[in-house]
Amino acid sequence: SLITGTVTYTTSGVSNGVYTNSIGLNAASNGYTYVANPYAAPIDFHNIYISGRLTNIDPRYYYLDPTMGSTGSYVSYNAVSNTSSNNATYGQFIQAGQGFLIGNTSSSPQLQITEADKSILSTSRTSVFGATTPNSKMAFTLLKQGGGATAKMDGAVAVFGTQFSNAIGVEDNVKMSNAADNLSILEGTKSLSIDGRLPAIANDVLVINIGSLSGTTYQLEIDATAYTANGLTAYLHDAYKNTTTALAAGINTISFTADAKVAATYQNRFSIVFKPTTLAVNSFVASAKVNGTIATINWNTVGENGVTSYEVEKSNDGTLFTAIAQQVAKNTATASYTATDDKVTVTTYYRIKAISTDGTITYSNIAKLSTNNSPLTTIYPNPLTGNTFNVQLGNVVAGKYVVSITNALGQKVAESTIAHAGGNGTHSVNIESSIAKGVYNVLITSVDSKQLIYQTNLSVQ
């Protein structure tokens, strides 16, 4: 059920008029309880605190961030100082479906979450569940040609992971033979349709077993799109022609002719051999910096030789990358390159992918960029005792910006527009109408791009 309205957590259970649950908060004086955001929207824990809906509960919470380290790390947020232990600007916001740990200050705790705690700000939404990294895979398909058409006859997949072994196990599927046109991966004496394996090491070999052919003209398709190189280059070895060819990162198609009377023309003819990558670039280092809403990515190379192009790849979690730009390689002893990105998130990761003429791939280091790196963007005095405060912008592009002040319910109580000449600058903001004492949210938004560039709390006394 979609939960709306006020949700109250006590030691007796959870209720909101429609939904009830008899499992309640820990009643111990210093006990802890894991609870969950009940709404399909982020909630503002800071707003819960300043609104007085934490009864006998600490103004702080904890959660396990699975994106930190190999096993995750506990992150904490303190509503009094409005600060997260990982220095994230979104720390006060608990995501839809997110569990969090709260502690009691005494017995009879109560937590109440209301509709007013929901946040619709784009900056309040972030990933807290981590990302599932897909397994490295290499797929093989046998295609038969005839009558002007190409038909898919059979296939097999090798999947690589540290949780697998190179022995026959539950991660493997034994091949069930077709009446004709079979393709499998040979593991010892076993033919497999799915071969779960440890990540490849130098000189590992995958034998492609082809048999019971019904024709003469075929293609072997090797899909390496989801294959992670792991510092090695995969080569296709053709034992019949005695050739070895580097596989490209995408789909590779090899045409061959088979003679049923000559087993060497198809049987155990093809294999995948893994060899150390000969770097097309001796070294290259990537770096990134942000100016306002635009990131500049630079990379410098030494010893380019046989590089066709570079791709700039971007990620929001440091794991899953997508290409956003491409540049042709200069292939000089030393070279420098620059690319820009105008879609920067709170934390963004960049890396450079070097593509060589033989299809091998080399990656640079990962450059991490955070839009809140600049300590110059701030407001003062805070707390505010009068009607005027200063906005100090640091490393911000020129343009007009709207300074909005909202209360705990998200209602706008004051707004002002400032014109910024670019770079660093300080602007005076006057609140024309007096506002009540309390803690307010200050948002600074670009008039042109509508993008939120800064957010903080302002205490009015």
Side-chain angles (χ1 to χ4, degrees), residues 396-455:
V396 176
V397 296
K400 290 185 177 181
Y401 296 88
V402 175
V403 182
S404 303
I405 302 175
T406 60
N407 60 19
L409 298 178
Q411 299 167 327
K412 190 180 297 182
V413 298
E415 187 174 270
S416 181
T417 301
I418 58 178
H420 183 61
N424 302 331
T426 302
H427 307 269
S428 179
V429 174
N430 182 58
I431 305 174
E432 294 182 358
S433 59
S434 60
I435 58 178
K437 294 181 180 180
V439 177
Y440 295 84
N441 196 24
V442 178
L443 304 96
I444 304 176
T445 308
S446 169
V447 172
D448 294 330
S449 67
K450 310 300 181 186
Q451 184 173 9
L452 179 69
I453 68 164
Y454 186 69
Q455 178 181 353

Short mmCIF file of all heavy atoms in Angstrom, two decimals, residues 396-455:
data_model
loop_
_atom_site.label_atom_id
_atom_site.label_comp_id
_atom_site.label_asym_id
_atom_site.label_seq_id
_atom_site.Cartn_x
_atom_site.Cartn_y
_atom_site.Cartn_z
N VAL A 396 31.98 30.33 -8.99
CA VAL A 396 30.66 30.23 -9.60
C VAL A 396 30.63 31.07 -10.87
O VAL A 396 31.14 32.19 -10.89
CB VAL A 396 29.56 30.70 -8.61
CG1 VAL A 396 28.19 30.69 -9.27
CG2 VAL A 396 29.54 29.81 -7.37
N VAL A 397 30.03 30.55 -11.94
CA VAL A 397 30.01 31.25 -13.22
C VAL A 397 29.13 32.49 -13.13
O VAL A 397 28.24 32.60 -12.28
CB VAL A 397 29.49 30.33 -14.34
CG1 VAL A 397 30.41 29.16 -14.55
CG2 VAL A 397 28.08 29.84 -14.03
N ALA A 398 29.37 33.44 -14.02
CA ALA A 398 28.61 34.68 -14.03
C ALA A 398 27.16 34.42 -14.39
O ALA A 398 26.84 33.52 -15.18
CB ALA A 398 29.23 35.66 -15.03
N GLY A 399 26.27 35.22 -13.82
CA GLY A 399 24.86 35.08 -14.10
C GLY A 399 24.00 35.57 -12.97
O GLY A 399 24.49 36.06 -11.95
N LYS A 400 22.69 35.46 -13.15
CA LYS A 400 21.75 35.86 -12.11
C LYS A 400 21.33 34.63 -11.30
O LYS A 400 21.13 33.54 -11.87
CB LYS A 400 20.51 36.52 -12.72
CG LYS A 400 20.79 37.88 -13.32
CD LYS A 400 19.50 38.55 -13.80
CE LYS A 400 19.77 39.95 -14.35
NZ LYS A 400 18.52 40.60 -14.81
N TYR A 401 21.21 34.83 -9.98
CA TYR A 401 20.88 33.73 -9.08
C TYR A 401 19.76 34.16 -8.13
O TYR A 401 19.74 35.30 -7.65
CB TYR A 401 22.12 33.29 -8.28
CG TYR A 401 23.19 32.72 -9.18
CD1 TYR A 401 24.16 33.55 -9.75
CD2 TYR A 401 23.23 31.37 -9.47
CE1 TYR A 401 25.14 33.04 -10.60
CE2 TYR A 401 24.20 30.84 -10.31
CZ TYR A 401 25.15 31.69 -10.87
OH TYR A 401 26.11 31.17 -11.71
N VAL A 402 18.85 33.25 -7.87
CA VAL A 402 17.75 33.50 -6.96
C VAL A 402 18.08 32.88 -5.61
O VAL A 402 18.43 31.70 -5.52
CB VAL A 402 16.43 32.90 -7.49
CG1 VAL A 402 15.31 33.07 -6.47
CG2 VAL A 402 16.06 33.56 -8.81
N VAL A 403 17.98 33.69 -4.56
CA VAL A 403 18.18 33.24 -3.19
C VAL A 403 16.81 33.10 -2.55
O VAL A 403 16.10 34.08 -2.35
CB VAL A 403 19.06 34.21 -2.39
CG1 VAL A 403 19.29 33.69 -0.97
CG2 VAL A 403 20.39 34.46 -3.10
N SER A 404 16.41 31.84 -2.27
CA SER A 404 15.09 31.58 -1.70
C SER A 404 15.23 31.09 -0.26
O SER A 404 16.15 30.34 0.06
CB SER A 404 14.35 30.51 -2.51
OG SER A 404 14.24 30.89 -3.86
N ILE A 405 14.30 31.55 0.60
CA ILE A 405 14.28 31.13 2.00
C ILE A 405 12.93 30.44 2.23
O ILE A 405 11.88 31.03 1.98
CB ILE A 405 14.46 32.31 2.95
CG1 ILE A 405 15.79 33.04 2.66
CG2 ILE A 405 14.41 31.86 4.41
CD1 ILE A 405 15.98 34.30 3.48
N THR A 406 12.98 29.18 2.68
CA THR A 406 11.75 28.43 2.93
C THR A 406 11.72 27.96 4.38
O THR A 406 12.76 27.76 5.01
CB THR A 406 11.64 27.21 2.01
OG1 THR A 406 12.76 26.33 2.24
CG2 THR A 406 11.65 27.62 0.55
N ASN A 407 10.50 27.79 4.90
CA ASN A 407 10.37 27.32 6.27
C ASN A 407 10.36 25.79 6.31
O ASN A 407 10.55 25.13 5.29
CB ASN A 407 9.10 27.89 6.92
CG ASN A 407 7.84 27.49 6.18
OD1 ASN A 407 7.83 26.52 5.42
ND2 ASN A 407 6.76 28.23 6.41
N ALA A 408 10.11 25.24 7.51
CA ALA A 408 10.18 23.79 7.70
C ALA A 408 9.14 23.05 6.86
O ALA A 408 9.29 21.86 6.58
CB ALA A 408 10.01 23.44 9.18
N LEU A 409 8.06 23.74 6.48
CA LEU A 409 7.02 23.11 5.67
C LEU A 409 7.28 23.24 4.18
O LEU A 409 6.47 22.82 3.35
CB LEU A 409 5.65 23.73 6.00
CG LEU A 409 5.17 23.56 7.44
CD1 LEU A 409 3.84 24.26 7.64
CD2 LEU A 409 5.05 22.09 7.80
N GLY A 410 8.40 23.86 3.84
CA GLY A 410 8.74 24.06 2.44
C GLY A 410 8.10 25.29 1.83
O GLY A 410 8.17 25.51 0.62
N GLN A 411 7.46 26.12 2.65
CA GLN A 411 6.81 27.33 2.15
C GLN A 411 7.84 28.46 2.01
O GLN A 411 8.67 28.68 2.89
CB GLN A 411 5.70 27.76 3.12
CG GLN A 411 4.61 26.72 3.29
CD GLN A 411 3.71 27.01 4.47
OE1 GLN A 411 4.14 27.56 5.47
NE2 GLN A 411 2.43 26.65 4.34
N LYS A 412 7.77 29.17 0.89
CA LYS A 412 8.71 30.26 0.63
C LYS A 412 8.31 31.49 1.45
O LYS A 412 7.19 31.96 1.38
CB LYS A 412 8.71 30.60 -0.86
CG LYS A 412 9.82 31.55 -1.28
CD LYS A 412 9.75 31.82 -2.77
CE LYS A 412 9.96 30.56 -3.58
NZ LYS A 412 9.94 30.83 -5.04
N VAL A 413 9.27 31.98 2.26
CA VAL A 413 9.00 33.15 3.11
C VAL A 413 9.73 34.40 2.63
O VAL A 413 9.37 35.52 3.02
CB VAL A 413 9.37 32.86 4.59
CG1 VAL A 413 8.53 31.72 5.14
CG2 VAL A 413 10.86 32.53 4.73
N ALA A 414 10.74 34.23 1.80
CA ALA A 414 11.48 35.39 1.27
C ALA A 414 12.25 34.96 0.04
O ALA A 414 12.60 33.78 -0.13
CB ALA A 414 12.43 35.97 2.31
N GLU A 415 12.51 35.93 -0.87
CA GLU A 415 13.25 35.63 -2.09
C GLU A 415 13.93 36.89 -2.59
O GLU A 415 13.37 38.00 -2.48
CB GLU A 415 12.31 35.07 -3.15
CG GLU A 415 13.02 34.57 -4.41
CD GLU A 415 12.04 33.89 -5.37
OE1 GLU A 415 11.87 32.66 -5.24
OE2 GLU A 415 11.45 34.60 -6.19
N SER A 416 15.13 36.72 -3.14
CA SER A 416 15.88 37.85 -3.66
C SER A 416 16.73 37.38 -4.83
O SER A 416 17.11 36.21 -4.90
CB SER A 416 16.78 38.44 -2.57
OG SER A 416 17.49 39.56 -3.05
N THR A 417 17.00 38.29 -5.78
CA THR A 417 17.82 37.95 -6.94
C THR A 417 19.13 38.74 -6.88
O THR A 417 19.13 39.94 -6.60
CB THR A 417 17.08 38.28 -8.25
OG1 THR A 417 15.86 37.54 -8.29
CG2 THR A 417 17.92 37.91 -9.46
N ILE A 418 20.24 38.04 -7.15
CA ILE A 418 21.55 38.70 -7.16
C ILE A 418 22.20 38.48 -8.53
O ILE A 418 21.95 37.48 -9.20
CB ILE A 418 22.47 38.15 -6.05
CG1 ILE A 418 22.67 36.64 -6.19
CG2 ILE A 418 21.91 38.49 -4.67
CD1 ILE A 418 23.61 36.04 -5.14
N ALA A 419 23.02 39.43 -8.94
CA ALA A 419 23.77 39.34 -10.20
C ALA A 419 25.23 39.10 -9.86
O ALA A 419 25.86 39.92 -9.18
CB ALA A 419 23.60 40.61 -11.02
N HIS A 420 25.77 37.98 -10.32
CA HIS A 420 27.14 37.59 -9.99
C HIS A 420 28.03 37.74 -11.22
O HIS A 420 27.70 37.28 -12.31
CB HIS A 420 27.15 36.14 -9.49
CG HIS A 420 28.50 35.66 -9.05
ND1 HIS A 420 29.20 36.24 -8.02
CD2 HIS A 420 29.26 34.63 -9.50
CE1 HIS A 420 30.34 35.59 -7.85
NE2 HIS A 420 30.40 34.62 -8.75
N ALA A 421 29.17 38.38 -11.05
CA ALA A 421 30.08 38.66 -12.16
C ALA A 421 30.96 37.47 -12.52
O ALA A 421 31.70 37.53 -13.50
CB ALA A 421 30.95 39.87 -11.83
N GLY A 422 30.91 36.41 -11.72
CA GLY A 422 31.73 35.23 -11.98
C GLY A 422 32.85 35.10 -10.98
O GLY A 422 33.27 36.07 -10.35
N GLY A 423 33.34 33.86 -10.81
CA GLY A 423 34.43 33.63 -9.87
C GLY A 423 33.96 33.75 -8.44
O GLY A 423 32.94 33.19 -8.03
N ASN A 424 34.70 34.54 -7.65
CA ASN A 424 34.38 34.74 -6.24
C ASN A 424 33.76 36.12 -6.04
O ASN A 424 34.19 37.09 -6.65
CB ASN A 424 35.63 34.60 -5.37
CG ASN A 424 36.30 33.25 -5.54
OD1 ASN A 424 35.63 32.26 -5.83
ND2 ASN A 424 37.62 33.21 -5.35
N GLY A 425 32.77 36.19 -5.19
CA GLY A 425 32.13 37.47 -4.91
C GLY A 425 31.16 37.37 -3.75
O GLY A 425 30.63 36.30 -3.46
N THR A 426 30.92 38.50 -3.08
CA THR A 426 30.01 38.54 -1.94
C THR A 426 28.85 39.47 -2.25
O THR A 426 29.04 40.57 -2.80
CB THR A 426 30.75 39.03 -0.68
OG1 THR A 426 31.85 38.15 -0.42
CG2 THR A 426 29.82 39.02 0.53
N HIS A 427 27.63 39.07 -1.92
CA HIS A 427 26.42 39.82 -2.22
C HIS A 427 25.58 39.97 -0.95
O HIS A 427 25.43 39.00 -0.19
CB HIS A 427 25.61 39.13 -3.31
CG HIS A 427 26.41 38.82 -4.54
ND1 HIS A 427 26.50 39.69 -5.61
CD2 HIS A 427 27.17 37.74 -4.87
CE1 HIS A 427 27.26 39.15 -6.54
NE2 HIS A 427 27.69 37.96 -6.11
N SER A 428 25.04 41.14 -0.75
CA SER A 428 24.19 41.41 0.41
C SER A 428 22.73 41.12 0.06
O SER A 428 22.24 41.52 -0.99
CB SER A 428 24.34 42.87 0.85
OG SER A 428 23.51 43.14 1.96
N VAL A 429 22.07 40.37 0.93
CA VAL A 429 20.67 40.01 0.72
C VAL A 429 19.85 40.57 1.89
O VAL A 429 20.16 40.31 3.05
CB VAL A 429 20.48 38.49 0.63
CG1 VAL A 429 19.01 38.13 0.55
CG2 VAL A 429 21.24 37.94 -0.57
N ASN A 430 18.84 41.36 1.54
CA ASN A 430 17.98 41.97 2.56
C ASN A 430 16.61 41.28 2.58
O ASN A 430 15.98 41.10 1.54
CB ASN A 430 17.80 43.47 2.28
CG ASN A 430 16.95 44.14 3.34
OD1 ASN A 430 17.28 44.10 4.53
ND2 ASN A 430 15.85 44.73 2.93
N ILE A 431 16.19 40.87 3.77
CA ILE A 431 14.87 40.27 3.95
C ILE A 431 13.90 41.40 4.26
O ILE A 431 13.94 41.99 5.34
CB ILE A 431 14.88 39.23 5.08
CG1 ILE A 431 15.95 38.16 4.83
CG2 ILE A 431 13.51 38.58 5.22
CD1 ILE A 431 16.12 37.19 5.97
N GLU A 432 13.05 41.74 3.29
CA GLU A 432 12.19 42.91 3.45
C GLU A 432 11.19 42.74 4.57
O GLU A 432 10.95 43.66 5.35
CB GLU A 432 11.47 43.18 2.12
CG GLU A 432 12.42 43.58 0.99
CD GLU A 432 11.68 43.89 -0.29
OE1 GLU A 432 10.43 43.75 -0.31
OE2 GLU A 432 12.33 44.27 -1.28
N SER A 433 10.55 41.59 4.66
CA SER A 433 9.58 41.37 5.74
C SER A 433 10.22 40.57 6.85
O SER A 433 11.03 39.68 6.61
CB SER A 433 8.34 40.63 5.20
OG SER A 433 8.74 39.39 4.64
N SER A 434 9.88 40.90 8.08
CA SER A 434 10.46 40.19 9.22
C SER A 434 9.89 38.78 9.27
O SER A 434 8.72 38.55 8.98
CB SER A 434 10.14 40.94 10.52
OG SER A 434 8.75 41.03 10.70
N ILE A 435 10.72 37.83 9.62
CA ILE A 435 10.28 36.44 9.74
C ILE A 435 10.52 35.96 11.16
O ILE A 435 11.39 36.48 11.87
CB ILE A 435 11.01 35.53 8.73
CG1 ILE A 435 12.52 35.60 8.92
CG2 ILE A 435 10.63 35.89 7.31
CD1 ILE A 435 13.28 34.67 7.98
N ALA A 436 9.74 34.99 11.57
CA ALA A 436 9.80 34.51 12.95
C ALA A 436 11.12 33.79 13.21
O ALA A 436 11.80 33.33 12.29
CB ALA A 436 8.63 33.56 13.20
N LYS A 437 11.45 33.69 14.49
CA LYS A 437 12.65 32.98 14.88
C LYS A 437 12.50 31.50 14.51
O LYS A 437 11.41 30.94 14.53
CB LYS A 437 12.88 33.11 16.38
CG LYS A 437 13.21 34.52 16.85
CD LYS A 437 13.45 34.54 18.35
CE LYS A 437 13.79 35.96 18.83
NZ LYS A 437 14.03 36.02 20.29
N GLY A 438 13.63 30.88 14.16
CA GLY A 438 13.62 29.47 13.79
C GLY A 438 14.71 29.15 12.79
O GLY A 438 15.56 29.98 12.48
N VAL A 439 14.66 27.93 12.30
CA VAL A 439 15.66 27.47 11.33
C VAL A 439 14.99 27.38 9.96
O VAL A 439 13.92 26.78 9.82
CB VAL A 439 16.25 26.10 11.73
CG1 VAL A 439 17.24 25.60 10.68
CG2 VAL A 439 16.92 26.19 13.10
N TYR A 440 15.62 27.99 8.96
CA TYR A 440 15.07 28.05 7.61
C TYR A 440 16.06 27.42 6.61
O TYR A 440 17.26 27.28 6.89
CB TYR A 440 14.78 29.50 7.21
CG TYR A 440 13.69 30.14 8.04
CD1 TYR A 440 13.98 30.70 9.27
CD2 TYR A 440 12.37 30.16 7.60
CE1 TYR A 440 12.99 31.28 10.06
CE2 TYR A 440 11.37 30.73 8.37
CZ TYR A 440 11.68 31.29 9.60
OH TYR A 440 10.68 31.85 10.37
N ASN A 441 15.53 27.07 5.47
CA ASN A 441 16.33 26.49 4.39
C ASN A 441 16.63 27.57 3.36
O ASN A 441 15.72 28.26 2.89
CB ASN A 441 15.57 25.32 3.75
CG ASN A 441 16.47 24.43 2.92
OD1 ASN A 441 17.67 24.38 3.14
ND2 ASN A 441 15.89 23.74 1.96
N VAL A 442 17.91 27.73 3.01
CA VAL A 442 18.32 28.71 2.01
C VAL A 442 18.78 27.96 0.76
O VAL A 442 19.64 27.08 0.83
CB VAL A 442 19.46 29.62 2.53
CG1 VAL A 442 19.90 30.60 1.44
CG2 VAL A 442 19.00 30.37 3.77
N LEU A 443 18.17 28.30 -0.38
CA LEU A 443 18.52 27.68 -1.65
C LEU A 443 18.95 28.76 -2.64
O LEU A 443 18.27 29.77 -2.78
CB LEU A 443 17.35 26.89 -2.24
CG LEU A 443 16.73 25.81 -1.35
CD1 LEU A 443 15.51 26.37 -0.62
CD2 LEU A 443 16.32 24.61 -2.18
N ILE A 444 20.07 28.51 -3.32
CA ILE A 444 20.56 29.43 -4.34
C ILE A 444 20.49 28.72 -5.68
O ILE A 444 21.12 27.68 -5.89
CB ILE A 444 21.99 29.91 -4.04
CG1 ILE A 444 22.05 30.54 -2.65
CG2 ILE A 444 22.47 30.88 -5.11
CD1 ILE A 444 23.45 30.95 -2.22
N THR A 445 19.71 29.29 -6.63
CA THR A 445 19.42 28.64 -7.89
C THR A 445 19.77 29.55 -9.06
O THR A 445 19.52 30.76 -9.01
CB THR A 445 17.93 28.26 -7.99
OG1 THR A 445 17.56 27.52 -6.82
CG2 THR A 445 17.65 27.42 -9.22
N SER A 446 20.36 28.98 -10.10
CA SER A 446 20.69 29.75 -11.30
C SER A 446 19.41 30.09 -12.06
O SER A 446 18.56 29.22 -12.29
CB SER A 446 21.63 28.94 -12.21
OG SER A 446 21.74 29.56 -13.47
N VAL A 447 19.26 31.37 -12.45
CA VAL A 447 18.08 31.79 -13.21
C VAL A 447 18.08 31.15 -14.59
O VAL A 447 17.03 30.73 -15.10
CB VAL A 447 18.04 33.34 -13.33
CG1 VAL A 447 16.93 33.78 -14.28
CG2 VAL A 447 17.86 33.97 -11.96
N ASP A 448 19.25 31.04 -15.22
CA ASP A 448 19.33 30.52 -16.59
C ASP A 448 19.12 29.01 -16.65
O ASP A 448 18.29 28.51 -17.41
CB ASP A 448 20.68 30.89 -17.21
CG ASP A 448 20.83 32.40 -17.39
OD1 ASP A 448 19.79 33.07 -17.60
OD2 ASP A 448 21.97 32.90 -17.31
N SER A 449 19.89 28.25 -15.85
CA SER A 449 19.84 26.78 -15.93
C SER A 449 18.84 26.15 -14.99
O SER A 449 18.55 24.95 -15.10
CB SER A 449 21.23 26.20 -15.63
OG SER A 449 21.57 26.45 -14.27
N LYS A 450 18.30 26.96 -14.06
CA LYS A 450 17.36 26.46 -13.04
C LYS A 450 18.03 25.45 -12.11
O LYS A 450 17.35 24.74 -11.36
CB LYS A 450 16.12 25.82 -13.67
CG LYS A 450 15.44 26.68 -14.72
CD LYS A 450 14.97 28.01 -14.16
CE LYS A 450 14.25 28.85 -15.24
NZ LYS A 450 13.91 30.20 -14.75
N GLN A 451 19.36 25.34 -12.14
CA GLN A 451 20.06 24.35 -11.34
C GLN A 451 20.38 24.90 -9.96
O GLN A 451 20.80 26.03 -9.79
CB GLN A 451 21.36 23.92 -12.03
CG GLN A 451 22.09 22.81 -11.28
CD GLN A 451 23.27 22.30 -12.07
OE1 GLN A 451 23.64 22.88 -13.09
NE2 GLN A 451 23.88 21.22 -11.62
N LEU A 452 20.15 24.06 -8.94
CA LEU A 452 20.47 24.42 -7.56
C LEU A 452 21.99 24.33 -7.39
O LEU A 452 22.58 23.28 -7.62
CB LEU A 452 19.78 23.47 -6.60
CG LEU A 452 20.04 23.71 -5.09
CD1 LEU A 452 19.38 25.01 -4.64
CD2 LEU A 452 19.51 22.54 -4.27
N ILE A 453 22.64 25.43 -6.99
CA ILE A 453 24.07 25.42 -6.84
C ILE A 453 24.52 25.39 -5.39
O ILE A 453 25.67 25.07 -5.09
CB ILE A 453 24.71 26.64 -7.54
CG1 ILE A 453 24.32 27.95 -6.82
CG2 ILE A 453 24.37 26.68 -9.01
CD1 ILE A 453 25.20 29.12 -7.21
N TYR A 454 23.64 25.73 -4.45
CA TYR A 454 24.02 25.74 -3.04
C TYR A 454 22.79 25.67 -2.17
O TYR A 454 21.72 26.21 -2.52
CB TYR A 454 24.81 27.02 -2.70
CG TYR A 454 25.38 27.04 -1.29
CD1 TYR A 454 26.42 26.19 -0.93
CD2 TYR A 454 24.88 27.92 -0.34
CE1 TYR A 454 26.93 26.19 0.36
CE2 TYR A 454 25.39 27.93 0.95
CZ TYR A 454 26.42 27.08 1.29
OH TYR A 454 26.95 27.08 2.56
N GLN A 455 22.91 24.96 -1.07
CA GLN A 455 21.81 24.83 -0.12
C GLN A 455 22.38 24.72 1.29
O GLN A 455 23.36 24.00 1.53
CB GLN A 455 20.98 23.57 -0.44
CG GLN A 455 19.83 23.33 0.51
CD GLN A 455 19.07 22.08 0.15
OE1 GLN A 455 19.32 21.47 -0.87
NE2 GLN A 455 18.15 21.67 1.01
#
